[in-house]
Amino acid sequence: MKTRHQLLILFSSAFMLLLVTAFLLLSVISYKNNILLKDGEKDLKKETNKVISLISLSVENWVYDNTYWDELVTAFKKQDSSWVTDNYIATMGKFGANYLWLINTDGTVFYNSLSTKKQQGDLFFMNIPVLLDTLRKKPFKHFFVSFNNETVEIFTAPVQPSKDITRTSPHQGYMLAGQIINKAYFERLSVYTEDNQYDLLPLANH
């Protein structure tokens, strides 16, 4: 009887040890999986951010490269909207730009690319004098706005002569280009990242 009792205690102890070992092993595996999952999420977020930056860079470079141009300076002086249409509107979409505004230094809008239908709504996304005051101090800007029920990524640059590669001469006007953050944008993002789980969340009301 004593031997049987000892064997029962030994068996129970071994069983408890086995349970503890199994629990610890599962905990270690779960911990490792969580680390791998978090690392995977970090890598995906990092890669997604890189792709977003590249998509934005296309618009940003287009704005920068097409604003120190003697012909554009001349178009501003003549207020030649036909020249702008011929030289910008046909190509801007290839670089991801959906909207184009050209603003004179006095705050008047020289050109906007809005369609006839959209001309019936708001023509601009903010108070122009306030924007101009900012652009005079910092002409190269990047920000997001809500415009005509769309979220739009905006890039700005001053209009200057071709020879001004340092971009330091007096501003002849300003170019603003906008990229709409919509279904087409997310589809393009999905192609690059091979992930379809992208959407634009509405801003919370405060």
Side-chain angles (χ1 to χ4, degrees):
M1 187 71 180
K2 185 176 181 180
T3 301
R4 182 182 297 178
H5 184 67
Q6 290 176 338
L7 287 174
L8 183 60
I9 293 175
L10 181 62
F11 177 76
S12 299
S13 300
F15 182 71
M16 289 299 297
L17 180 61
L18 182 63
L19 285 178
V20 171
T21 302
F23 175 77
L24 291 175
L25 182 60
L26 288 174
S27 297
V28 170
I29 292 174
S30 177
Y31 177 72
K32 287 183 176 180
N33 286 339
N34 284 335
I35 291 177
L36 290 175
L37 181 61
K38 289 180 180 179
D39 286 344
E41 290 175 346
K42 287 180 181 178
D43 289 341
L44 177 59
K45 185 177 181 180
K46 186 183 296 183
E47 291 304 313
T48 300
N49 286 339
K50 285 181 181 179
V51 172
I52 290 174
S53 296
L54 287 174
I55 293 175
S56 297
L57 188 63
S58 176
V59 183
E60 183 178 19
N61 285 343
W62 181 76
V63 171
Y64 186 93
D65 293 341
N66 285 279
T67 45
Y68 64 114
W69 191 6
D70 288 339
E71 284 83 352
L72 179 58
V73 172
T74 300
F76 261 86
K77 290 179 179 178
K78 296 181 177 181
Q79 298 290 279
D80 188 353
S81 59
S82 296
W83 183 92
V84 177
T85 300
D86 293 341
N87 288 274
Y88 287 128
I89 302 306
T91 60
M92 59 187 260
K94 297 177 182 178
F95 297 90
N98 304 108
Y99 290 124
L100 174 67
W101 294 272
L102 298 177
I103 301 178
N104 295 310
T105 53
D106 64 2
T108 56
V109 177
F110 157 37
Y111 188 92
N112 80 70
S113 66
L114 274 67
S115 64
T116 303
K117 182 179 179 180
K118 290 188 175 181
Q119 293 281 359
Q120 307 306 315
D122 294 331
L123 298 182
F124 204 62
F125 51 81
M126 67 178 293
N127 181 280
I128 293 181
V130 172
L131 177 63
L132 273 183
D133 186 55
T134 301
L135 293 180
R136 290 184 184 111
K137 301 170 185 174
K138 189 178 179 181
F140 299 100
K141 297 189 70 66
H142 171 218
F143 52 92
F144 292 84
V145 298
S146 178
F147 177 65
N148 286 340
N149 298 316
E150 296 173 322
T151 298
V152 184
E153 183 179 24
I154 301 290
F155 291 94
T156 73
V159 175
Q160 294 162 310
S162 303
K163 64 181 180 180
D164 183 19
I165 58 175
T166 59
R167 311 305 299 265
T168 55
S169 65
H171 305 162
Q172 306 299 310
Y174 301 93
M175 175 187 284
L176 296 89
Q179 174 175 225
I180 303 172
I181 309 300
N182 55 10
K183 182 178 179 181
Y185 175 92
F186 290 121
E187 287 176 350
R188 186 155 47 132
L189 185 60
S190 297
V191 169
Y192 292 127
T193 62
E194 299 181 352
D195 190 331
N196 296 317
Q197 305 302 313
Y198 296 108
D199 201 358
L200 188 63
L201 298 177
L203 294 175
N205 292 322
H206 294 286

